[in-house]
Amino acid sequence: MKIINVGNYQELSERAAKIVIETVQNKPNAVLGLATGSTPIGLYNELIDDHAKNGTSYRKICTFNLDEYVGLEGSHPQSYLYFMRQHLFNHIDISSENTFIPNGKAEDMMKECERYEELIKEKGGIDLQILGIGQNGHIGFNEPGTSFSSRTHIIQLTESTRKANSRFFSSMDEVPTHAVTVGIQTIMESRKILLLVSGQAKMEAFKRLLSDEIDESFPASVLKLHNDVTVITDIAFDN
Ligand code: F6R
């Protein structure tokens, strides 16, 4: 893993944007894996600014989001489809036909998972996967204990993750109990991975990531087995 330490969240967002923009410029039909959550919002803002100022085009870019809540319509303000439209897709020249997010309202969720995996393959696989990290080390919604060989699947959210995400809902009861997420194996098949780790709340997770541990009880630890992972962090931490 290549670790890039930056001074603050703005710098983290700019460094991350530089990597995404380079990917898009070098391969105008690249396949990007995208994350939601608070961490990549600054990156998406940078991409929007760059698109407006420098005209970087996403016309041929294809995107796959990591996850979606089960049971929320895409029109629900807390759905990840809504999030992506609001924070990125509506502000760049990407075609909605090229943006993929698991359908949390599919009648047959098992089939939806298979369909999503197939689609990623059909589009040639993920060139650059953007990841955040949960306080418990989850990547996507792959909670501790998820098999490293998992592919797109349905998971039950842990109470800690539901609690962390409840800030976006009006009450804890409204936070969905399940989500659909690409698997750890799916993430590991990405050609390049960019992990963004921001804020003191992620300090413990970051420390564990820097340790020697590679174990399913800490999902992000699998990234140490990938040969092209860049971690950008604004957490100051001496080993
Ligand atoms: C979101 C996702 C999650 C988040 C993680 C961190 O698509 O896959 O793994 O990246 O929960 O969330 P934030 O950035 O809100 O701390």
Side-chain angles (χ1 to χ4, degrees), residues 26-127:
N26 291 339
K27 188 175 176 187
N29 63 347
V31 178
L32 303 179
L34 301 180
T36 57
S38 310
T39 312
I41 291 178
L43 154 65
Y44 296 151
N45 287 340
E46 290 300 315
L47 296 183
I48 293 167
D49 269 8
D50 164 75
H51 172 68
K53 284 188 199 135
N54 307 318
T56 303
S57 178
Y58 296 80
R59 232 166 25 86
K60 294 185 187 155
I61 294 292
C62 181
T63 64
F64 283 91
N65 265 81
L66 284 167
D67 40 22
E68 179 59 285
Y69 287 119
V70 170
L72 296 193
E73 295 283 358
S75 56
H76 190 290
Q78 297 313 332
S79 77
Y80 287 167
L81 176 57
Y82 191 98
F83 175 103
M84 288 310 303
R85 286 182 175 155
Q86 189 192 10
H87 289 289
L88 183 64
F89 298 157
N90 288 351
H91 311 285
I92 57 174
D93 63 344
I94 197 159
S95 156
S96 60
E97 288 158 28
N98 291 340
T99 60
F100 300 98
I101 299 192
N103 176 7
K105 285 289 273 184
E107 252 175 51
D108 184 335
M109 286 307 296
M110 299 298 279
K111 276 216 180 101
E112 174 60 10
C113 294
E114 282 165 26
R115 183 190 75 93
Y116 205 66
E117 283 284 331
E118 277 310 307
L119 263 174
I120 296 174
K121 268 195 210 118
E122 235 173 67
K123 298 291 177 186
I126 310 274
D127 290 300

Side-chain angles (χ1 to χ4, degrees), residues 34-40 65-67 80 131-135 138-141 161 165 167-168 181 198 202:
L34 301 180
T36 57
S38 310
T39 312
N65 265 81
L66 284 167
D67 40 22
Y80 287 167
L131 292 179
I133 185 171
Q135 290 176 30
H138 72 223
I139 47 174
F141 267 139
T161 298
N165 290 4
R167 65 192 193 276
F168 301 115
T181 180
S198 177
K202 302 289 171 65

